[in-house]
Amino acid sequence: MLTIDSVGKTYGTGDKALTDISLTIEKGQVVGLIGPSGAGKSTLIRCINRLVEPSTGHIYLNDLDLVALDQNRLRQQRRRIGMIFQEFALVERLTVMENVLSGRLGYLPFWRTYLRRFPASDIENAYRLLDRVGLLDQADKRADALSGGQRQRVGIARALAQHPDLLLVDEPTASLDPKTSRQIMRLIVEICSDYHLPAIINIHDVPLALQFMQRIIGLRQGRVVFDGAPSELTESVLTTIYGAEDWTNMQKQHEDDLDSEADATARLGALRS
Amino acid sequence: MRLEDLNWQYRSRLQRLAIWFAWLLTVALFVWCWNLMTRDTIWLFVWDAPTQAADLGSRMMPPRWSYLPELMQPLWDTLNIATLGTLGGVILAVPVAFMAARNTTPSRLLLRPIALGIIVTSRSINSLIWALLLVAIIGPGLLAGIIAIALRSIGFIGKLLYEAIEEIDEKQVEAVRATGASGFQVMHYGIVPQILPAFFGITVFRWDINIRESTILGLVGAGGIGLKLQSSLNVLAWPQVTMILLLILLTVVASEWISAKVRSAII
């Protein structure tokens, strides 16, 4: 399905972001990419749709080398790769519907999209997707009028409007509160299994990754240091990925979150009784 | 270190001395400039100024109201010069702005410097001077005024618009690009919605300035109410001058009110 073959990326400043990354992702597989910030997670998924140009290596989507494509054919392939962003990256001043329909831009000529004359089938499908993410009644609102969780749902609908073969998801929950994070993550995973879509999901939140991913890849300083099932992700592996100090801090943070959540639930319970 | 030894002062001794010296220099400079400025002044005329002003004022009053109907056509011309000139300026400024903005220019080495050059040229020459040149080239009349206003507006609108383009949120643009959209589609969906409020604000602001500027273009023969002002001044018809100035004041207040309304409606 997707094969990444010894991809490397060195930025113009000489920083080596990725070194010799090789991966294969099967149809319908949801892969979590974990690692500390600066490990190259964002760079790796941006190399796949070439928002960042890889310096070396090849990336095959359905046996077609994406790295070798010229701009025109790259655009055709980008249509098949849906992307979901950390800070939603919706066009804020357009409506929810326009944002979802913007997933169709690559399939339509400029004049049609300029006049917003989208084919009836695209509009029908956009409504179906908005219904799927639970925003049918928000279609005509402006994107900047929505809450964070709602915006990310629009982002998901936009990616799905492309009829993608692959989803790239960059820190989908980093701008959301813990509860909304779990809802959004559950939605993404459900949709992937509904459509049998493979997905690569950058995620810094390890508990969330353990809960939702089928396979986890750990990145450290631009190299793959772990690739396996969530159950194989042991304490020592996490220490390798994050470094001893950071991993302990993350655990502590997570425990604090759980404690305060438990505390809040207890207080709420006391109020009710 | 003991706390008692610490002594906080707003400025050190040296800084205080420097500031005092700077003040001294400023005063000395002022005295010198004043002497230079008033070397050729004939003080008799200056002491006489209030009387002269009062005299002129009495001759300007009351305004000649019967002149008003005659001013309507030139006023309409002036409004047309400003509006059509702004429109022309906008049409020319938009591509220039996209070429000048760092993040949208097709070529940093060639087109961007050209676009910036167009902006600087247009901004550095006053409308009145553009009009003088154009009256010489295409003859007196409204067309010269419209083109003068348009040429002057390119720089203003182009500069503010390209700054707005450079300040957009690139994440939204990246997201549209990731869908496989073409260059023009990325521009239309990713960039245009972000700069639209700035675009309308800038355009209405420039239209408001252009109304003021077009009122004087007639002085050099480029049509509009300025022509009437010039002919009245030439024959020392002061009541008519008052009438014209009142009308200009009213027009400017009206245009300012409209532009404020439009801008608050956008934001």
Side-chain angles (χ1 to χ4, degrees), chain A residues 46 49 51 75-76 78-79 81 83 85 87-94 98 102-103 105-106 108-110 113-116 118 158 162, chain B residues 169-198 200 266-267:
Chain A
R46 279 176 168 69
N49 61 0
L51 288 175
R75 288 211 302 110
Q76 288 172 13
R78 274 182 180 162
R79 302 184 304 198
I81 306 175
M83 192 157 182
F85 296 83
E87 281 161 332
F88 325 126
L90 302 179
V91 181
E92 301 275 320
R93 297 182 57 86
L94 294 184
E98 285 170 302
S102 71
L105 289 177
L108 297 167
F110 177 70
T113 58
Y114 181 81
L115 299 169
R116 306 286 199 269
F118 288 88
R158 172 175 63 188
Q162 290 175 237
Chain B
D169 175 12
E170 286 291 341
K171 289 194 296 289
Q172 300 178 31
V173 182
E174 188 187 41
V176 176
R177 185 172 298 127
T179 64
S182 69
F184 279 110
Q185 286 173 328
V186 171
M187 191 186 276
H188 185 234
Y189 274 74
I191 300 174
V192 170
Q194 294 195 58
I195 58 167
L196 219 49
F200 282 120
I266 298 163
I267 300 160

Side-chain angles (χ1 to χ4, degrees), chain A residues 1-9 18-25 43-50 52-69 74 81 166 200:
Chain A
M1 176 67 224
L2 179 79
T3 307
I4 298 174
D5 179 19
S6 51
V7 161
K9 172 68 189 172
L18 296 174
T19 317
D20 200 22
I21 305 274
S22 294
L23 296 169
T24 301
I25 286 155
T43 306
L44 179 57
I45 69 164
R46 279 176 168 69
C47 277
I48 294 169
N49 61 0
R50 279 175 57 193
V52 170
E53 294 287 344
S55 314
T56 55
H58 302 277
I59 296 169
Y60 300 95
L61 181 65
N62 297 328
D63 299 323
L64 185 70
D65 187 0
L66 298 176
V67 179
L69 298 177
L74 172 64
I81 306 175
L166 170 71
I200 303 182

Side-chain angles (χ1 to χ4, degrees), chain B residues 10-45:
Chain B
Y10 178 43
R11 289 191 173 107
S12 76
R13 203 181 144 75
L14 201 69
Q15 279 174 321
R16 284 201 300 268
L17 208 68
I19 287 165
W20 184 85
F21 195 69
W23 276 110
L24 186 74
L25 266 183
T26 312
V27 172
L29 186 70
F30 178 79
V31 170
W32 182 70
C33 288
W34 179 259
N35 281 327
L36 198 70
M37 236 163 57
T38 56
R39 206 172 45 198
D40 299 328
T41 307
I42 301 165
W43 288 103
L44 196 66
F45 285 4

